[in-house]
Amino acid sequence: MHLMMILITLAVSWRLRSSWNQPQGNWNLRWGRSLFLFLFPPLLIFMTAIALLFMGPQGQMSGMYTGSISYLLALVYLAFFAISCIKLAFQGWQSVESARNCPLVNLGDKRARLLQTGALFAGQIGFWQPELVISQGLLQTLSQNHLESVLAHEQGHHHYRDTFWFFWLGWVRSCTAWLPNTEPLWEELLALRELRADGYAALRVDPLVLAESLLLVVSTSPVLSEICCAALGSSGVDRLEQRVEALLAPPEPTPEAQLHSWHGFMLAFLPLVTVVFHS
């Protein structure tokens, strides 16, 4: 019976992920659909493994005997989840420590870590309270107006706690890379994250100036680790046209997450209900 649960969970997860295609529409619709398809299948698998762990290797369920194979599979997968989390957390801690070794500089009313490189880079590095890291090359290249637009974009990442939430999404990505459309969905979420930060900045600075800064930074930014980092050019050159068009178009609202938008995720906890039928 437990193996049947695993097979049903895998079939549902695979089918949901396979249903994804490049979405159209406004930011809110794209974000909701992409996040659901990215997060729901791993959550369903995780909850199924938790349920199997609670039920143990022996007993009956709906009159059918259960074995130890499904229990061991759940145990191995949960251990893999835990090891992946520890590995990513360690890599994130290394990124934070590396940023903290950079000297502090004052940028008006803000403080930032100065990266000693000629490359153009600005990003938030950390977890819940990230630090702004900016390169020497960016300070030397951008005008004051362009620099303010970059700082406004990075403030958007800080406002939405992007480094924290995308650390956990990155963990989900690493644990379920074998599911279909994991990478396209991840790239879509990264692009939407940048569009949201662009929208935040566009309400505070000239969108045209921000678009000019974006063209400069994205075309020259080095490829850095995505772990605990949210940078101006992290969505890549391939999304550049989309971001510039969004900045030049009338501003689009990006509302805060509402409780009702998470109702669909409650279905992923259904496997836990099966525990009561186990004896």
Side-chain angles (χ1 to χ4, degrees):
M1 188 63 182
H2 288 180
L3 285 175
M4 190 180 299
M5 284 180 60
I6 293 174
L7 291 175
I8 291 173
T9 296
L10 292 178
V12 171
S13 300
W14 196 276
R15 179 68 183 88
L16 280 174
R17 277 292 189 84
S18 299
S19 68
W20 184 83
N21 49 40
Q22 189 65 39
Q24 303 296 324
N26 61 37
W27 183 94
N28 202 33
L29 290 174
R30 289 174 60 187
W31 176 263
R33 176 170 169 76
S34 299
L35 185 63
F36 180 81
L37 292 178
F38 182 81
L39 195 55
F40 182 86
L43 186 60
L44 181 64
I45 295 170
F46 185 75
M47 288 299 112
T48 301
I50 291 290
L52 294 177
L53 198 66
F54 272 113
M55 287 187 279
Q58 297 178 340
Q60 290 187 13
M61 187 174 177
S62 300
M64 300 176 65
Y65 284 97
T66 60
S68 59
I69 296 178
S70 55
Y71 177 81
L72 290 175
L73 287 174
L75 195 61
V76 168
Y77 197 68
L78 289 174
F80 172 68
F81 261 63
I83 292 171
S84 297
C85 184
I86 293 171
K87 178 183 176 182
L88 287 177
F90 179 72
Q91 291 174 348
W93 175 79
Q94 287 182 314
S95 297
V96 172
E97 287 300 302
S98 177
R100 287 176 178 170
N101 289 331
C102 298
L104 279 169
V105 293
N106 291 318
L107 302 173
D109 58 343
K110 296 180 178 63
R111 302 187 75 190
R113 297 286 180 177
L114 184 62
L115 196 62
Q116 301 292 342
T117 176
L120 306 187
F121 174 80
Q124 297 283 343
I125 296 180
F127 290 90
W128 185 255
Q129 288 289 353
E131 286 192 280
L132 176 63
V133 178
I134 197 165
S135 70
Q136 184 72 43
L138 193 76
L139 293 178
Q140 294 173 347
T141 302
L142 297 189
S143 66
Q144 184 62 33
N145 286 341
H146 288 96
L147 182 59
E148 288 176 1
S149 69
V150 171
L151 296 180
H153 173 92
E154 294 307 325
Q155 184 59 35
H157 284 308
H158 187 278
H159 174 76
Y160 292 111
R161 308 291 181 182
D162 283 335
T163 52
F164 177 79
W165 296 116
F166 272 80
F167 168 78
W168 296 109
L169 291 176
W171 173 49
V172 170
R173 172 201 180 198
S174 67
C175 293
T176 55
W178 50 272
L179 282 173
N181 290 320
T182 296
E183 284 306 308
L185 278 166
W186 173 253
E187 292 299 326
E188 174 71 2
L189 290 173
L190 283 180
L192 292 172
R193 180 187 76 176
E194 296 308 310
L195 286 171
R196 181 171 64 178
D198 288 343
Y200 179 94
L203 296 175
R204 292 157 177 81
V205 298
D206 187 345
L208 183 59
V209 174
L210 179 58
E212 292 172 351
S213 303
L214 183 62
L215 289 170
L216 286 170
V217 175
V218 171
S219 60
T220 58
S221 286
V223 178
L224 297 178
S225 172
E226 295 173 340
I227 302 171
C228 302
C229 178
L232 181 68
S234 58
S235 66
V237 178
D238 56 333
R239 303 279 187 166
L240 181 59
E241 182 179 354
Q242 180 184 165
R243 292 177 62 185
V244 172
E245 288 177 352
L247 284 170
L248 300 181
E252 185 178 301
T254 53
E256 302 288 344
Q258 301 295 323
L259 185 61
H260 63 79
S261 65
W262 293 91
H263 284 173
F265 288 97
M266 299 302 294
L267 295 174
F269 292 86
L270 283 177
L272 296 179
V273 179
T274 62
V275 176
V276 301
F277 298 104
H278 187 270
S279 60

